[in-house]
Amino acid sequence: MDTVDLLLHPVRLRIVHAMSGERPLTTSQLCALLPDVSKATVYRHVGLLADGGLLEVDGEQRVRGAVERRYRLHRARAVIDADTAASVSPEDHRRVFAVAMATLLAEFNAYLDRDHADPAADSVGYRQHTLWLSQDERAEMIKAMRGVILARRGNGPAPDRTRHLLSPILFPTEEPPPRTSGEQAEPRR
């Protein structure tokens, strides 16, 4: 399977999310982080991600006669690059979006199912905002948002940090205004 196919499954995408932060985890630890997913399912998808090169073995130890592996996310392999994203069909975009939404819903439900989930105290947000943007304003906003996110993306686990899931979604909800003569089409991102 290629990277796109590997990431196009809600459980595998949740495993990739859980592995973020350069922390090595065993499959047992992943099962604890995904309590709503059966152990057999987690083990099967960890195997697929490892076989596909998205997870790499970080170490092994014997536990009760069996070999337990610690895995680490191979971050460079767990990315769908801009060229790949630009080359997919509208139907593929529908599939990718559906998996992203299914993953988001599963992650949110797992959060709410925790004993002490407190959306207000945890500053949980899921607002939707309608923005009127020119092409330049949109590009400026995306650049600013990327800067904010990338400045924190390298943060690893620490005693004072909790893993959060941030899912920016942006798309036009209306047809763009007609271009006047002389205007060029905006390049795809």
Side-chain angles (χ1 to χ4, degrees), residues 170-182:
L170 175 70
F171 58 90
T173 56
E174 294 181 8
E175 289 286 331
R179 288 192 293 266
T180 59
S181 62

Side-chain angles (χ1 to χ4, degrees), residues 113-134:
D113 288 343
R114 285 192 245 150
D115 288 338
H116 301 291
D118 188 344
D122 293 334
S123 300
V124 170
Y126 40 82
R127 292 186 177 144
Q128 295 179 345
H129 304 278
T130 300
L131 306 173
W132 289 85
L133 303 168
S134 69

Side-chain angles (χ1 to χ4, degrees), residues 34-186:
L34 305 172
D36 57 312
V37 180
S38 76
K39 288 182 181 183
T41 299
V42 172
Y43 274 84
R44 184 174 66 251
H45 289 293
V46 164
L48 288 169
L49 289 167
D51 290 346
L54 273 69
L55 297 181
E56 51 195 12
V57 176
D58 187 66
E60 297 178 339
Q61 66 183 20
R62 282 223 171 267
V63 177
R64 294 183 297 278
V67 175
E68 183 177 57
R69 291 183 176 95
R70 282 183 317 281
Y71 293 94
R72 183 177 299 278
L73 181 64
H74 191 293
R75 183 179 287 279
R77 291 277 332 239
V79 172
I80 298 172
D81 64 29
D83 290 337
T84 302
S87 70
V88 300
S89 69
E91 200 52 46
D92 287 336
H93 277 288
R94 282 185 183 91
R95 267 184 53 217
V96 171
F97 191 79
V99 168
M101 293 302 96
T103 302
L104 189 60
L105 186 59
E107 293 274 14
F108 191 66
N109 284 331
Y111 161 74
L112 290 175
D113 288 343
R114 285 192 245 150
D115 288 338
H116 301 291
D118 188 344
D122 293 334
S123 300
V124 170
Y126 40 82
R127 292 186 177 144
Q128 295 179 345
H129 304 278
T130 300
L131 306 173
W132 289 85
L133 303 168
S134 69
Q135 291 177 2
D136 290 342
E137 291 166 333
R138 183 182 65 208
E140 178 185 325
M141 183 183 77
I142 290 170
K143 181 179 178 184
M145 289 171 58
R146 280 187 182 141
V148 168
I149 294 167
L150 290 176
R152 290 155 183 84
R153 190 166 176 228
N155 290 356
D160 64 334
R161 288 189 179 139
T162 302
R163 183 172 54 97
H164 290 76
L165 183 60
L166 177 64
S167 298
I169 299 168
L170 175 70
F171 58 90
T173 56
E174 294 181 8
E175 289 286 331
R179 288 192 293 266
T180 59
S181 62
E183 279 186 305
Q184 292 186 347
E186 179 182 2

